[in-house]
Amino acid sequence: MVRTVFVFVSLLAALVAAVPHPFVVHEAINGAPEGFVHAGTPSPDTELTFRIGLVQNNIAGLQEKLLVISDPASATYGQWMSTEEIVEFTKPSAATDAAVKEWLAENGLTAATTSIAGDWLSITTTVGKANTLFNTKFQSFAHPETGKSFIRTLAYSIPASLQGAVEVVHPTVTFPNPLGGVPRLTASIGKRELNALEKKDLERRAIPASCATTITPACIQAIYGVPTTKATSSTVKLGVSGFIDQFAQTADLKSFLTKFRTDISSSTTFALQTLDGGSNPQGRNDAGIEANLDIEYTIGIATGVPVTFISVGENTKDGDLGGFLDIINFIQGEAAASRPQVLTTSYGQNENTVTRAMANSLCNAYSTLGAAGVSILFASGDGGVAGSQTTSCSTSFLPTFPSGCPFMTSVGATQGTSPETAASFSSGGFSNFFAQPSYQSAQVKSYLTALGSTNAGKFNTSGRGFPDVAAQGVNFQIVDGGQTGGVDGTSCASPTFAAIISLVNDRLIAAGKPVLGFLNPFLYSSAGTAALTDITTGDNPGCGTNGFPAKAGWDPVTGLGTPNFAKLLTAVGL
Ligand SMILES: *[C@@H]1O[C@H](CO)[C@@H](O)[C@H](O)[C@H]1NC(C)=O
């Protein structure tokens, strides 16, 4: 009897073990993105850390509400959601949570929860086990231009029973951008003589003549009317994203402030927050142009606003996008009172190197932080219509990510002062993943009408248009590794715009009003557009075309335009 039962049980066990989970392909791509080459099979013992995004309760409901509370015309404008309310929308159902954890347990894996709502899990395992778990064969892909290599696959599967439970697994088929968003050294910005009219215009506007070709904090203050006085509220805060190999240097910051902000203490510095084993080593050889630029121009412009450098480390092992997510989940998990109300990130990549599932999941994460009252700004990219860096493209323009996400604010670049004109590298265009949000549809429609048949067939007229706004981005003077030099890029524009938004937030907080939070519906409103200087000249060439021309109103080079501090205060009722 006992024996029979035993046999029965062991037979059943054998049966269960023998029947494989029916797998379904969850995501697949045709090949590695441009710039990557297949570089063999990694050792099965290599460790990998994956983030698993679970299907959320009601993210559409959160986004619907977010579009109301961020609309200045709404009665509930500025009533940002509490953490509890956000969690209600974003947590997975109990059944989803249990099903995924059961599957992992069957494979001997215990997941760590990496978001407060439990919608993101993390597992660390080996390539060999991951190959079984996701019914795939992970490969090594090298990126010869940077000498970096990454473990990715071209397709992965999940058990059919989990199709409605798992949104995305990363890193799998989304490749990183090993070039990051690093700004370029200013090549040969012409030290041309200004003509008499230009000189007169600058004099009238009290802008130093040098600002026509060389940007310092004083130029930003003069061009955009930014106050030099200190922020006064006790809770205003600005976050700066930092990634692998980009370290912000306190010695460089000190030299920068000594040189360019003689009116404030040169000891003004940033707070450091490290994630995923991040660090921020100090030393001439650790200087990173991007990190130094971002820190020098947030601290250098947002006078008196505490700045936190959030450094994401090597543990992500996958370039940028896992780190993007970890920063969002980290900030979301902070107490509301200690969160930065503005986050600037000068990294990005071409939209066609990110899968729809990954793009959606990250965009959803941005919407949850926007709902919490955090303004999320990203540099739009430096390749004109050809993507985040100049990429070869023949048939279609290459929109950048995350600029296509409708729940963040994309910042393009300008140059010069008389008039301020589009910087030719300023990425802009239309997403192929995200539809045009209603807050911009009128302005985008006007632009497309004015554009006529130019570039027809090279971009998606129904996609979300970007950038939303712009700021100066050419020949920013920075101190890096002890040297002063000029850099160009939308990487200059995003921290500049973010610093200005932080100063507006400071005034709002001091007046007992809510902070700006998710910016776009405000920016595209009549009050918002009135607070921006429309840029109407220049274009962003690429892909063998002149790109998009800047025009009156919104355009996919400079968005709605550049900030005017006094008008922004008026627009928010101060
Ligand atoms: C164009 O954008 C729409 C809206 O986001 C999208 O549904 C469609 O797939 C895009 N078309 C192409 C060819 O990518």
Side-chain angles (χ1 to χ4, degrees):
M1 185 69 187
V2 168
R3 203 184 155 84
T4 320
V5 169
F6 175 73
V7 167
F8 175 72
V9 168
S10 70
L11 259 179
L12 191 68
L15 208 65
V16 169
V19 174
H21 271 292
F23 277 109
V24 285
V25 174
H26 194 61
E27 289 192 279
I29 56 174
N30 292 329
E34 188 187 326
F36 288 93
V37 291
H38 183 232
T41 304
S43 151
D45 303 331
T46 312
E47 270 203 349
L48 290 175
T49 295
F50 294 95
R51 289 165 193 73
I52 303 175
L54 306 190
V55 172
Q56 297 159 318
N57 244 346
N58 183 13
I59 190 70
L62 177 139
Q63 291 171 352
E64 199 177 305
K65 181 162 183 192
L66 174 57
L67 289 172
V68 175
I69 61 178
S70 58
D71 179 354
S74 137
T76 53
Y77 176 59
Q79 293 181 16
W80 308 117
M81 298 182 205
S82 67
T83 298
E84 293 68 32
E85 192 181 355
I86 291 167
V87 166
E88 269 314 301
F89 282 117
T90 56
K91 71 179 182 194
S93 71
T96 291
D97 185 61
V100 173
K101 285 181 177 159
E102 200 176 305
W103 164 60
L104 294 174
E106 280 169 20
N107 286 277
L109 294 165
T110 311
T113 301
T114 58
S115 65
I116 42 166
D119 52 338
W120 285 96
L121 303 178
S122 164
I123 53 165
T124 298
T125 184
T126 60
V127 165
K129 281 189 175 169
N131 284 341
T132 309
L133 189 65
F134 301 118
N135 196 31
T136 185
K137 282 207 170 70
F138 279 94
Q139 299 294 309
S140 293
F141 293 91
H143 186 262
E145 190 180 344
T146 56
K148 294 183 180 174
S149 80
F150 303 88
I151 296 175
R152 291 291 189 277
T153 179
L154 299 183
Y156 70 97
S157 299
I158 58 172
S161 58
L162 295 181
Q163 267 184 296
V166 171
E167 288 282 7
V168 70
V169 180
H170 181 77
T172 51
V173 292
T174 287
F175 282 63
N177 172 11
L179 296 170
V182 179
R184 307 175 292 191
L185 297 178
T186 302
S188 55
I189 183 88
K191 285 269 180 231
R192 68 182 178 85
E193 282 297 307
L194 301 184
N195 66 35
L197 259 177
E198 289 170 328
K199 278 186 187 155
K200 218 169 171 182
D201 174 60
L202 292 179
E203 233 167 76
R204 180 181 60 77
R205 293 160 62 199
I207 298 173
S210 62
C211 299
T213 51
T214 306
I215 296 294
T216 61
C219 292
I220 297 296
Q221 289 163 341
I223 297 168
Y224 300 138
V226 181
T228 58
T229 49
K230 276 196 170 177
T232 59
S233 79
S234 60
T235 54
V236 70
K237 211 168 155 184
L238 169 52
V240 172
S241 302
F243 295 99
I244 293 169
D245 296 340
Q246 281 287 331
F247 307 116
Q249 303 299 303
T250 51
D252 286 338
L253 175 63
K254 195 177 180 77
S255 305
F256 176 83
L257 294 175
T258 303
K259 201 162 183 174
F260 297 115
R261 282 304 305 267
T262 50
D263 59 323
I264 64 173
S265 165
S266 65
S267 313
T268 310
T269 192
F270 54 90
L272 176 67
Q273 177 67 57
T274 58
L275 302 181
D276 301 330
S279 61
N280 193 43
Q282 299 293 307
R284 245 165 219 235
N285 294 336
D286 297 314
I289 292 177
E290 180 68 68
N292 274 335
L293 165 67
D294 295 349
I295 281 297
E296 289 169 13
Y297 278 83
T298 46
I299 292 179
I301 296 170
T303 310
V305 174
V307 171
T308 304
F309 183 65
I310 308 172
S311 179
V312 180
E314 298 280 356
N315 291 4
T316 59
K317 284 194 181 106
D318 68 314
D320 297 338
L321 291 183
F324 280 26
L325 180 68
D326 294 350
I327 289 179
I328 299 300
N329 282 333
F330 169 77
I331 296 176
Q332 190 83 71
E334 286 187 292
S338 47
R339 271 182 210 133
Q341 301 89 0
V342 178
L343 176 68
T344 176
T345 309
S346 290
Y347 297 80
Q349 60 193 77
N350 292 342
E351 191 181 71
N352 67 359
T353 64
V354 182
T355 64
R356 273 178 197 266
M358 188 62 186
N360 256 321
S361 291
L362 277 164
C363 188
N364 289 342
Y366 296 135
S367 71
T368 65
L369 209 51
V374 181
S375 304
I376 298 173
L377 294 92
F378 272 85
S380 72
D382 293 345
V385 290
S388 64
Q389 277 94 10
T390 311
T391 322
S392 67
C393 50
S394 46
T395 49
S396 301
F397 293 164
L398 292 168
T400 57
F401 181 82
S403 284
C405 164
F407 296 107
M408 50 65 76
T409 300
S410 172
V411 187
T414 62
Q415 62 183 328
T417 44
S418 304
E420 189 173 2
T421 185
S424 60
F425 56 75
S426 184
S427 289
F430 298 84
S431 171
N432 290 315
F433 286 179
F434 298 99
Q436 229 152 71
S438 58
Y439 60 71
Q440 67 168 194
S441 56
Q443 281 99 334
V444 172
K445 193 173 171 203
S446 299
Y447 180 80
L448 291 176
T449 303
L451 184 68
S453 60
T454 305
N455 300 328
K458 292 190 176 292
F459 66 98
N460 191 331
T461 54
S462 65
R464 182 263 208 261
F466 72 95
D468 299 299
V469 289
Q472 291 280 328
V474 171
N475 205 12
F476 272 47
Q477 296 301 294
I478 65 164
V479 177
D480 184 69
Q483 307 282 317
T484 302
V487 290
D488 299 346
T490 51
S491 289
C492 303
S494 184
T496 299
F497 204 94
I500 292 171
I501 292 300
S502 286
L503 289 174
V504 176
N505 276 343
D506 173 60
R507 308 284 175 106
L508 285 168
I509 295 169
K513 295 185 170 200
V515 292
L516 284 167
F518 172 48
L519 291 170
N520 296 5
F522 161 70
L523 295 172
Y524 285 86
S525 73
S526 52
T529 52
L532 299 163
T533 304
D534 189 10
I535 307 302
T536 60
T537 53
D539 50 26
N540 55 355
C543 310
T545 74
N546 292 329
F548 292 109
K551 286 183 180 292
W554 178 88
D555 55 69
V557 199
T558 62
L560 298 162
T562 59
N564 177 307
F565 192 77
K567 289 182 181 172
L568 278 168
L569 293 186
T570 306
V572 299
L574 290 175

